[in-house]
C-alpha cells in the first residue's frame, strides 16, 4: 500500500479526533448509534471499511458509491421489555450524475455516485404513570408510552479518484433529523451529520475506512441539554479470497472507535459465503465497560420480480446479553435494477 494513501487517511481524520477530545463529556441521544441491519450486527459492528450495502447510510456513507444496483432493506429488532426497533432504507446508484460533475478538481468522468435515504424508529414499551395532588395524595393512574424515537437520514457517496496509488477513493456524508419522546409527555428534536472516507488500496482485497458520526450540538427535553454522542471510527477490511465482488468469499474486518465520553471500543467481524448463496458471520465487541459476541447467517436468492439481475437477501443476527436473555435481528433486502460496472 502506498504510504501516501495512509497519510491522506490520517490527515482526513486527525482534526475530527481533536474535535472529539475537546468536547469530552456526558452525552444523550444514544439512539443515533443504533445498528440498522442484521449483517452489521452479526459482524460485531466492524463495518466502517466494508460498507457496501444500504447499511452504509449509517456506518460510512462513502460506501454508498460502491453499490452496483438499487437496494432496499428493512430490519426488525426485538429486545427485552418490549423494546422494538424498525428500519427501512433505500440506496440509488447514480452512474451519470454527481455533485462534482462541473468541478475541475472532481470531474465526473464515469466515477460512481449514489444517494441513500432511511427511516429508523423505536418503541420503548409502556409504563404506568401515577399522578398525585399537591398534598401528595393519589390523583390518577394511567399507562403511557415509555418513549419513542424517529431518525430520518439522507446520505450521498461519491468516488473521487484513484489518487496516490490507490485503486479507488470515496467520500460521503449524511444529514439526519432525530425526534424523541419520553413518557408520552416530553419531546425533543435535533439535527446531526456524519462524514465518511473509504479507500480501496492496491493491496489485493484491502480497504481502509474512517467515519465521524453524530456531529452536531445537542438535544434538550426540558432544561438541561445533552450533547450528541460524537463518535470517531477507524476500520480496515480484507477480502483475501477475492478482491472483486464477484469472487469474494471471505471478509475479515477490524474497527476501532472512540467517543465523546472517552470510551474506547474494538470490533472484529468475519463473514464467509458458501457458493454465493449462504453466509456465516461472527463478531466480537470490546469496550471499556462491556464485551459481547454475535452470530449470524445470511442468504441471497434470485428474485423473479423485478426482471433482470434481482436478488432477495435474508439476514439474521443473535446477540446474547447475559442473564437478560438475547437480542434478535432480522433483515430483508432486495437488489434490483440495471447493474453498473466499475469504470
Amino acid at each position: 500500500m502506498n504510504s501516501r494513501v495512509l497519510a491522506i487517511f490520517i490527515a482526513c481524520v486527525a482534526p475530527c479526533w481533536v474535535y472529539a477530545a475537546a468536547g469530552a463529556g456526558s452525552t444523550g441521544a444514544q439512539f443515533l448509534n443504533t445498528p440498522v441491519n442484521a449483517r452489521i450486527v452479526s459482524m460485531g459492528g466492524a463495518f466502517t471499511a466494508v460498507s457496501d450495502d444500504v447499511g452504509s447510510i449509517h456506518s460510512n456513507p462513502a460506501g454508498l458509491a460502491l453499490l452496483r444496483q438499487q437496494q432496499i432493506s428493512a430490519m426488525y429488532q426485538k429486545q427485552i421489555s418490549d423494546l422494538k426497533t424498525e428500519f427501512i432504507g433505500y440506496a440509488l446508484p447514480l452512474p451519470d450524475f454527481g455533485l462534482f460533475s462541473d468541478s475541475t478538481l472532481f470531474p465526473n468522468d464515469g466515477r460512481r455516485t449514489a444517494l441513500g435515504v432511511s427511516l429508523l424508529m423505536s418503541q420503548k414499551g409502556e409504563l404506568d404513570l401515577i399522578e398525585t395532588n399537591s398534598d401528595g395524595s393519589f390523583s390518577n393512574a394511567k399507562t403511557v408510552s415509555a418513549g419513542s424515537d424517529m431518525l430520518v437520514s439522507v446520505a450521498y457517496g461519491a468516488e473521487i479518484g484513484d489518487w496516490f496509488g490507490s485503486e479507488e477513493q470515496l467520500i460521503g456524508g449524511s444529514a439526519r433529523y432525530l425526534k424523541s419522546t419520553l413518557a408520552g409527555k416530553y419531546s425533543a428534536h435535533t439535527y446531526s451529520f456524519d462524514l465518511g472516507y473509504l479507500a480501496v488500496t492496491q493491496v489485493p482485497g484491502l480497504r481502509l475506512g474512517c467515519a465521524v458520526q453524530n456531529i452536531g450540538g445537542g438535544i434538550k427535553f426540558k432544561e438541561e441539554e445533552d450533547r450528541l454522542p460524537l463518535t470517531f471510527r477507524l476500520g480496515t477490511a480484507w477480502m483475501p479470497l477475492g478482491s472483486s465482488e464477484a469472487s469474494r468469499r471471505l471478509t475479515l474486518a477490524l474497527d476501532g472507535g472512540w467517543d465523546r465520553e472517552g470510551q474506547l471500543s474494538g470490533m472484529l467481524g468475519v463473514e464467509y459465503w458458501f457458493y454465493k448463496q449462504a453466509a456465516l458471520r461472527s463478531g466480537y465487541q470490546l469496550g471499556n465497560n462491556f464485551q459481547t459476541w454475535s452470530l449470524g447467517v445470511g442468504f441471497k436468492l434470485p428474485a423473479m420480480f423485478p426482471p433482470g439481475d434481482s436478488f432477495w437477501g435474508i439476514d439474521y443476527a443473535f446477540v446474547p446479553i447475559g442473564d437478560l436473555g438475547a437480542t434478535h435481528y432480522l433483515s430483508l433486502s432486495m437488489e434490483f435494477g440495471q447493474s453498473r460496472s466499475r469504470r
Side-chain angles (χ1 to χ4, degrees), residues 32-324:
L32 290 168
N33 292 327
T34 302
V36 297
N37 69 36
R39 182 185 178 206
I40 295 175
V41 173
S42 60
M43 295 180 68
F47 210 70
T48 305
V50 179
S51 293
D52 56 5
D53 63 22
V54 179
S56 301
I57 296 173
H58 288 253
S59 61
N60 184 349
L64 286 172
L66 293 174
L67 272 64
R68 295 175 179 271
Q69 293 178 278
Q70 298 179 65
Q71 289 189 12
I72 187 169
S73 176
M75 182 198 73
Y76 177 79
Q77 174 195 6
K78 178 68 170 66
Q79 302 183 60
I80 59 174
S81 303
D82 294 326
L83 301 179
K84 300 176 183 179
T85 303
E86 298 167 310
F87 168 82
I88 185 167
Y90 170 69
L92 174 66
L94 302 171
D96 299 318
F97 172 77
L99 292 183
F100 305 117
S101 56
D102 297 324
S103 169
T104 303
L105 182 59
F106 301 128
N108 184 31
D109 53 356
R111 293 189 173 99
R112 294 174 294 171
T113 60
L115 284 173
V117 295
S118 70
L119 175 64
L120 180 64
M121 299 178 294
S122 76
Q123 295 290 334
K124 297 181 175 65
E126 298 179 337
L127 57 82
D128 295 325
L129 184 64
I130 299 176
E131 298 178 344
T132 60
N133 298 312
S134 58
D135 60 0
S137 61
F138 174 81
S139 173
N140 186 32
K142 58 183 177 180
T143 300
V144 299
S145 169
S148 64
D149 299 286
M150 180 185 71
L151 179 64
V152 179
S153 302
V154 179
Y156 178 81
E159 182 185 359
I160 59 173
D162 52 0
W163 305 342
F164 308 114
S166 67
E167 286 193 6
E168 296 173 274
Q169 293 193 67
L170 310 104
I171 59 172
S174 64
R176 309 162 105 188
Y177 170 76
L178 172 66
K179 181 178 181 180
S180 297
T181 65
L182 287 176
K185 186 176 182 180
Y186 307 105
S187 65
H189 69 273
T190 189
Y191 299 90
S192 67
F193 303 90
D194 290 359
L195 297 174
Y197 169 83
L198 197 152
V200 180
T201 73
Q202 289 188 334
V203 177
L206 181 64
R207 295 181 185 174
L208 297 173
C210 68
V212 184
Q213 301 169 319
N214 312 322
I215 304 169
I219 187 167
K220 183 178 181 180
F221 280 95
K222 291 184 68 177
E223 301 298 330
E224 186 175 348
E225 183 177 58
D226 293 323
R227 295 182 180 184
L228 300 186
L230 183 67
T231 304
F232 172 79
R233 298 281 293 269
L234 287 174
T236 183
W238 186 39
M239 297 83 170
L241 300 183
S243 58
S244 69
E245 183 176 336
S247 62
R248 186 179 309 153
R249 296 177 63 188
L250 175 65
T251 297
L252 304 174
L254 177 66
D255 275 23
W258 188 85
D259 65 23
R260 174 170 266 158
E261 295 185 355
Q263 299 290 318
L264 295 171
S265 59
M267 291 138 278
L268 175 66
V270 180
E271 177 183 65
Y272 187 84
W273 281 92
F274 297 88
Y275 306 108
K276 303 179 185 178
Q277 293 181 327
L280 290 178
R281 305 183 181 109
S282 182
Y284 182 76
Q285 291 190 49
L286 177 66
N288 288 8
N289 301 313
F290 71 92
Q291 59 181 3
T292 185
W293 56 270
S294 55
L295 293 174
V297 295
F299 301 94
K300 190 173 183 179
L301 307 171
M304 299 297 293
F305 182 84
D309 295 330
S310 301
F311 298 91
W312 284 103
I314 304 173
D315 299 290
Y316 168 78
F318 170 86
V319 182
I321 47 178
D323 295 336
L324 297 178

